[in-house]
Amino acid sequence: MSDFQPAARVERIKPSPSTAAAARARELKAEGRDIVDMTVGEPDFDTPDAIKEAGIVAIRAGDTKYTPVNGTLALRRAIAGRLQRHTGHAYPLDAITAGGGGKQIIFLALMASVDNQAEVIIPAPYWVSYPDMVLANEGKPVIVTCPEADGFKLKPEALEAAITPRTRWLILNAPSNPTGATYSRAELEALAAVLQRHPHVWVLTDEIYDEIWFGEGKAVSLVEAAPSLVDRIFLVNGVSKSYAMTGWRIGYGAGPAPLVAAVNKLQSQISSCPSSISQAAAAAALDGDQAFIIDSVAAYRRRRDIAVERLNAIDGISCTAPEGAFYLFVNCAGLIGKTAPDGRKITNDLDFVLYLLDCGVAAIQGAAYGLSPYFRLSIATSEAQIEKACALIAKACAALS
Ligand code: PLP
């Protein structure tokens, strides 16, 4: 028996529920069960060939050494160009840092700025990692519920009410995981008007899904909508979702140089730098042909339309069409209190998700995202799998009494 005693920060957090749900689905499949896995948070597409090729070229050219802590000049120039095109803001290169995924960048930004129970406002439903990252860094997550009736979006009044003298950050994520909700320019301006009154509050804007957007034009960045706040906005993005590069592990952050310097100082003691090869590939992705994004977003849009139509035809559940990202956050209030054929009661969304798993579909309970009763389905899977999952969900719902 090992007498290992984890540090308090480990005890404060839980493993990512989405990773755990995906692992459970894989286990059941390995046991021979036919499970349609709708938990996956990564594109089902392969990384485009031209991007892979840039990685191969980097290996052959000997770009296989440590790079600057904050990323190569080529990558930071590519990021600066992309940010300028997307937000209109010209970030100097020392205001940009690259790391091993958007996840690592967010963690480092919180590690660099949060301690002693500083408060971090997190609108719910939220990406599962934010509260745990805040807790791991000795901060206090302040969860603000954003109901479906408000489009799952933070309202200015709710933001105002959540701010205290101890507030350090507001974390905004749009398009959102898990709802796909995205703020219009006017909605961002209204939030910015509140933030203008509270100069001690900084905003971490997680725009990792900004390319996966089903509306007209492009998803509006907070930096574009509220340029007067740029001195306290930390913008996070990456190549994982837009370019199907989850395994390459490159994300980036851009914001006030002193914060970026603090992130770099931590990074210098944690990983030294992100992978040199992945950086070359990410630079090629950002600078190169963007046709992959257009084609993949068209596929996600078709899948969304099919899934939303099928799900809304099922009694007991309903689903608002997401404006972006590749998830559906499905309301299952109409099923709570029902009984499964084997006699078990569906008392909450976790019960429903476990029942659904027995019926052959893996999903994630809304409780993991801070709002019940809902469940999240990923549509980063084929139309055939989506049709199959929706048919199984319909059957599972019809069998409840
Ligand atoms: N932010 C959100 C909202 C996400 O859903 C994810 C991944 O699931 C990330 C950030 C981090 O992505 P990565 O670390 O692959 O860049």
Side-chain angles (χ1 to χ4, degrees), residues 72-333:
T72 60
L73 262 185
L75 176 57
R76 279 180 294 130
R77 282 198 182 115
I79 294 168
R82 200 273 171 189
L83 286 172
Q84 172 125 42
R85 289 191 294 279
H86 211 84
T87 68
H89 186 71
Y91 283 93
L93 294 185
D94 67 349
I96 294 171
T97 189
K103 196 176 217 172
Q104 191 192 63
I105 291 289
I106 296 168
F107 194 95
L108 289 175
L110 294 173
M111 195 183 214
S113 58
V114 170
D115 57 13
N116 199 22
Q117 295 300 300
E119 294 175 6
V120 178
I121 298 174
I122 304 175
Y126 46 70
W127 180 41
V128 290
S129 293
Y130 301 136
D132 285 309
M133 288 187 183
V134 171
L135 288 170
N137 288 301
E138 276 147 38
K140 182 175 164 204
V142 175
I143 308 298
V144 179
T145 301
C146 303
E148 189 169 5
D150 293 343
F152 299 116
K153 294 189 229 185
L154 181 64
K155 290 275 176 201
E157 315 79 76
L159 172 60
E160 182 80 64
I163 293 174
T164 76
R166 298 194 52 75
T167 307
R168 195 76 212 251
W169 288 100
L170 160 67
I171 299 186
L172 269 190
N173 167 221
S176 140
N177 174 5
T179 66
T182 311
Y183 295 86
S184 67
R185 186 183 299 268
E187 287 166 337
L188 290 173
E189 283 168 357
L191 292 174
V194 175
L195 292 163
Q196 288 292 4
R197 294 195 284 277
H198 302 279
H200 66 294
V201 181
W202 287 42
V203 194
L204 191 155
T205 175
D206 178 349
E207 304 186 356
I208 195 113
Y209 293 99
D210 66 348
E211 295 283 11
I212 305 169
W213 156 248
F214 308 127
E216 293 295 315
K218 61 178 178 60
V220 181
S221 165
L222 179 67
V223 172
E224 186 185 353
S228 63
L229 293 184
V230 78
D231 286 344
R232 49 191 168 112
I233 294 176
F234 188 63
L235 184 156
V236 176
N237 208 323
V239 293
S240 288
K241 314 289 178 176
S242 319
Y243 301 98
M245 290 179 71
T246 44
W248 297 77
R249 308 308 303 126
I250 295 290
Y252 58 86
L259 169 64
V260 170
V263 166
N264 292 341
K265 190 172 178 186
L266 290 168
Q267 170 111 300
S268 77
Q269 296 295 5
I270 291 174
S271 69
S272 296
C273 62
S275 148
S276 56
I277 299 150
S278 298
Q279 289 189 60
L286 294 166
D287 279 344
D289 179 36
Q290 304 294 302
F292 172 79
I293 292 181
I294 295 167
D295 296 346
S296 56
V297 171
Y300 293 132
R301 185 187 288 112
R302 274 195 308 277
R303 297 165 178 185
R304 174 200 69 166
D305 292 345
I306 294 170
V308 168
E309 195 187 319
R310 300 284 182 279
L311 292 167
N312 279 329
I314 300 171
D315 270 352
I317 63 176
S318 64
C319 176
T320 304
E323 298 168 272
F326 41 62
Y327 308 102
L328 305 182
F329 203 57
V330 187
N331 185 325
C332 56

